[in-house]
Coordinates of all heavy atoms in Angstrom, one line a residue:
P124 N 81.8 97.4 132.1 CA 81.6 97.2 133.5 C 80.2 96.8 133.9 O 79.3 97.3 133.3 CB 81.9 98.5 134.1 CG 82.6 99.3 133.0 CD 82.1 98.8 131.7
G125 N 80.1 95.7 134.7 CA 78.8 95.3 135.2 C 78.1 94.2 134.2 O 77.1 93.8 134.6
N126 N 78.6 93.9 133.1 CA 77.9 93.0 132.3 C 78.7 91.7 132.0 O 78.4 90.9 131.2 CB 77.4 93.6 131.0 CG 78.5 93.9 129.9 OD1 79.7 93.6 130.2 ND2 78.2 94.3 128.8
G127 N 79.7 91.6 132.9 CA 80.5 90.3 132.8 C 81.1 90.0 131.5 O 81.7 90.9 130.8
S128 N 80.8 88.8 130.9 CA 81.5 88.4 129.6 C 80.5 88.7 128.5 O 80.6 88.1 127.4 CB 81.9 86.9 129.7 OG 80.7 86.1 129.8
E129 N 79.5 89.4 128.7 CA 78.4 89.7 127.6 C 79.1 90.7 126.6 O 79.8 91.6 126.9 CB 77.2 90.4 128.2 CG 76.2 90.8 127.2 CD 75.0 91.5 127.7 OE1 75.0 92.7 128.1 OE2 74.0 90.8 128.0
L130 N 78.9 90.3 125.3 CA 79.4 91.1 124.2 C 78.2 91.9 123.7 O 77.1 91.2 123.5 CB 80.0 90.3 123.0 CG 81.2 89.6 123.4 CD1 81.7 88.7 122.2 CD2 82.4 90.6 123.7
V131 N 78.3 93.2 123.5 CA 77.3 93.9 122.9 C 77.9 94.5 121.6 O 78.8 95.2 121.6 CB 76.8 95.1 123.8 CG1 75.7 95.9 123.2 CG2 76.4 94.6 125.1
V132 N 77.3 94.0 120.5 CA 77.9 94.3 119.1 C 76.9 95.1 118.3 O 75.8 94.6 118.0 CB 78.3 93.0 118.5 CG1 79.0 93.4 117.2 CG2 79.2 92.3 119.4
P133 N 77.2 96.3 117.8 CA 76.3 96.9 116.8 C 76.6 96.2 115.5 O 77.7 95.9 115.1 CB 76.8 98.3 116.7 CG 78.2 98.3 117.2 CD 78.3 97.1 118.2
V134 N 75.5 95.9 114.8 CA 75.5 95.2 113.5 C 74.8 96.2 112.5 O 73.7 96.6 112.7 CB 74.8 93.8 113.5 CG1 74.8 93.2 112.1 CG2 75.6 92.9 114.5
T135 N 75.5 96.5 111.4 CA 74.8 97.3 110.4 C 74.9 96.6 109.0 O 75.7 95.9 108.7 CB 75.6 98.7 110.3 OG1 77.0 98.5 110.0 CG2 75.5 99.5 111.6
L136 N 73.8 96.9 108.2 CA 73.8 96.6 106.8 C 73.6 97.8 106.0 O 72.6 98.5 106.1 CB 72.6 95.6 106.7 CG 72.3 95.1 105.3 CD1 73.5 94.4 104.6 CD2 71.1 94.2 105.2
K137 N 74.6 98.1 105.2 CA 74.5 99.2 104.4 C 75.3 99.0 103.1 O 76.4 98.4 103.2 CB 75.1 100.5 105.1 CG 74.9 101.8 104.3 CD 75.3 103.0 105.1 CE 74.9 104.2 104.3 NZ 74.8 105.4 105.0
N138 N 74.8 99.4 102.0 CA 75.5 99.2 100.7 C 75.8 97.6 100.5 O 76.9 97.3 100.0 CB 76.8 99.9 100.6 CG 76.5 101.5 100.6 OD1 75.5 101.9 100.1 ND2 77.4 102.2 101.2
R139 N 74.9 96.9 100.9 CA 74.9 95.3 100.8 C 76.1 94.8 101.6 O 76.4 93.6 101.3 CB 75.0 94.9 99.3 CG 73.7 95.4 98.5 CD 73.7 94.9 97.1 NE 74.8 94.3 96.6 CZ 75.7 94.7 95.7 NH1 75.6 95.9 95.3 NH2 76.7 94.0 95.3
T140 N 76.6 95.5 102.6 CA 77.7 94.9 103.4 C 77.3 94.9 104.9 O 76.8 95.8 105.4 CB 78.9 95.9 103.2 OG1 79.3 96.1 101.9 CG2 80.1 95.4 104.1
L141 N 77.4 93.6 105.4 CA 77.1 93.4 106.7 C 78.3 93.6 107.6 O 79.3 92.9 107.4 CB 76.5 92.0 106.9 CG 76.0 91.6 108.3 CD1 74.8 92.4 108.6 CD2 75.6 90.2 108.3
V142 N 78.3 94.5 108.6 CA 79.4 94.8 109.5 C 79.0 94.6 110.9 O 77.8 95.0 111.3 CB 79.7 96.3 109.2 CG1 80.9 96.7 110.2 CG2 80.2 96.5 107.8
A143 N 79.8 94.0 111.7 CA 79.6 93.8 113.1 C 80.8 94.5 113.8 O 82.0 94.2 113.6 CB 79.7 92.3 113.5
G144 N 80.4 95.6 114.6 CA 81.5 96.3 115.2 C 82.3 96.9 114.0 O 81.8 97.4 113.1
P145 N 83.7 96.8 114.2 CA 84.6 97.3 113.1 C 84.8 96.3 112.0 O 85.6 96.7 111.1 CB 85.9 97.7 113.9 CG 85.8 96.7 115.0 CD 84.4 96.4 115.3
F146 N 84.3 95.1 112.0 CA 84.6 94.0 111.1 C 83.5 93.8 110.1 O 82.4 93.6 110.4 CB 84.9 92.8 111.8 CG 86.0 92.8 112.8 CD1 85.8 93.0 114.2 CD2 87.3 92.9 112.4 CE1 86.8 93.0 115.1 CE2 88.4 92.9 113.3 CZ 88.1 93.0 114.7
T147 N 84.0 93.7 108.8 CA 83.0 93.4 107.7 C 82.9 91.9 107.7 O 83.8 91.2 107.7 CB 83.7 93.9 106.4 OG1 83.7 95.3 106.4 CG2 82.8 93.4 105.2
L148 N 81.6 91.5 107.8 CA 81.3 90.0 107.9 C 81.2 89.5 106.5 O 81.7 88.4 106.1 CB 80.2 89.8 108.7 CG 80.2 90.2 110.2 CD1 78.9 89.8 110.9 CD2 81.4 89.5 110.8
L149 N 80.3 90.2 105.7 CA 80.0 89.6 104.3 C 79.4 90.7 103.5 O 78.8 91.7 103.9 CB 79.2 88.4 104.3 CG 77.8 88.5 104.9 CD1 76.8 88.4 103.8 CD2 77.5 87.3 105.9
R150 N 79.5 90.5 102.1 CA 78.9 91.3 101.2 C 77.7 90.5 100.5 O 77.9 89.4 100.1 CB 79.9 91.7 100.1 CG 79.3 92.6 99.1 CD 80.3 93.8 98.9 NE 79.9 94.6 97.7 CZ 79.2 95.6 97.8 NH1 78.7 96.1 98.9 NH2 78.9 96.4 96.6
L151 N 76.5 91.1 100.6 CA 75.3 90.4 100.1 C 75.2 90.7 98.6 O 75.6 91.7 98.0 CB 74.1 90.9 100.8 CG 74.1 90.7 102.3 CD1 72.9 91.4 103.0 CD2 74.1 89.3 102.6
P152 N 74.6 89.6 97.9 CA 74.3 89.9 96.5 C 73.2 91.0 96.2 O 72.4 91.2 97.2 CB 73.8 88.5 96.0 CG 73.4 87.8 97.2 CD 74.1 88.4 98.3
R153 N 73.3 91.6 95.2 CA 72.2 92.6 94.8 C 70.9 91.9 94.7 O 70.8 90.9 94.0 CB 72.7 93.4 93.7 CG 71.7 94.5 93.3 CD 72.4 95.4 92.2 NE 71.6 96.6 92.0 CZ 71.5 97.6 92.8 NH1 72.2 97.5 93.9 NH2 70.8 98.7 92.5
I154 N 69.9 92.6 95.1 CA 68.5 92.1 94.9 C 68.1 92.7 93.6 O 68.1 93.9 93.4 CB 67.5 92.5 96.0 CG1 67.8 91.8 97.3 CG2 66.1 92.2 95.5 CD1 67.0 92.3 98.4
S155 N 67.8 91.8 92.6 CA 67.3 92.2 91.3 C 65.8 92.0 91.4 O 65.3 90.8 91.3 CB 67.9 91.4 90.2 OG 69.3 91.6 90.2
W156 N 65.1 93.1 91.4 CA 63.6 92.9 91.4 C 63.1 92.5 90.1 O 63.6 92.9 89.0 CB 63.0 94.4 91.8 CG 63.4 94.7 93.1 CD1 64.4 95.5 93.6 CD2 62.8 94.3 94.4 NE1 64.5 95.6 94.9 CE2 63.5 94.8 95.4 CE3 61.6 93.5 94.7 CZ2 63.2 94.7 96.8 CZ3 61.3 93.4 96.0 CH2 62.1 93.9 97.1
P157 N 62.1 91.6 90.1 CA 61.6 91.1 88.8 C 61.1 92.1 88.0 O 60.4 93.1 88.5 CB 60.5 90.1 89.2 CG 60.6 89.9 90.7 CD 61.4 91.0 91.2
P158 N 61.2 92.0 86.6 CA 60.6 93.1 85.8 C 59.1 93.1 85.8 O 58.5 92.0 86.3 CB 61.1 92.8 84.3 CG 61.6 91.4 84.5 CD 61.9 91.1 85.9
A159 N 58.5 94.1 85.4 CA 57.0 94.2 85.5 C 56.3 93.0 84.9 O 55.4 92.5 85.4 CB 56.5 95.6 84.9
A160 N 56.8 92.6 83.7 CA 56.1 91.6 83.0 C 56.2 90.2 83.9 O 55.2 89.5 83.9 CB 56.8 91.3 81.6
A161 N 57.3 90.0 84.5 CA 57.5 88.8 85.4 C 56.5 88.9 86.6 O 55.9 87.9 87.1 CB 58.9 88.5 85.8

Side-chain angles (χ1 to χ4, degrees):
N126 73 358
S128 64
E129 178 180 81
L130 294 175
V131 180
V132 183
V134 176
T135 58
L136 174 58
K137 186 170 183 159
N138 298 324
R139 299 185 355 253
T140 303
L141 186 64
V142 177
F146 300 103
T147 298
L148 299 178
L149 62 106
R150 183 129 166 101
L151 300 173
R153 180 170 193 72
I154 293 175
S155 298
W156 296 93

